[in-house]
């Protein structure tokens, strides 16, 4: 399906975004406005939230366009 873009937040997590799946529901922006900036590039500044905040928000993505990879320590 489309290319997935990666945004490293910290040593624990990388945020994944697949634009072709995104329905632009705004859940991400409403949940974490300090992270998601649709009019900017890069539009995801994942380092502005904790790993826990990112996981909780990503798990609410209605389209599955957002995902994450946890890094092994």
């Amino acid at each position: 399906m489309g290319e997935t873009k990666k945004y490293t937040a910290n040593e624990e997590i990388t945020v994944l975004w697949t634009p072709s799946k995104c329905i632009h529901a705004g859940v991400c922006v409403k949940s974490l406005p300090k992270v998601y900036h649709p009019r900017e590039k890069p539009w995801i500044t994942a380092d502005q939230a904790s790993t826990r905040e990112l996981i909780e928000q990503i798990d609410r993505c209605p389209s599955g366009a957002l995902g994450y990879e946890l890094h092994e320590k």
Side-chain angles (χ1 to χ4, degrees):
M1 187 168 295
E3 177 186 344
T4 297
K5 299 175 188 275
K6 297 183 177 193
Y7 302 87
T8 300
N10 54 45
E11 68 279 350
E12 297 177 336
I13 189 170
T14 296
V15 176
L16 309 174
W17 178 54
T18 306
S20 62
K21 289 183 176 182
C22 189
I23 61 171
H24 306 288
V27 172
C28 52
V29 177
K30 290 175 191 164
S31 299
L32 286 176
K34 61 188 176 186
V35 172
Y36 300 99
H37 311 276
R39 293 187 177 100
E40 298 176 16
K41 288 197 181 209
W43 84 280
I44 298 175
T45 53
D47 61 337
Q48 298 300 307
S50 71
T51 299
R52 178 183 208 91
E53 289 174 307
L54 290 166
I55 290 171
E56 288 174 358
Q57 184 280 309
I58 290 167
D59 286 346
R60 290 191 304 267
C61 178
S63 66
L66 291 170
Y68 57 88
E69 292 176 342
L70 293 175
H71 305 206
E72 291 189 29
K73 293 181 181 181

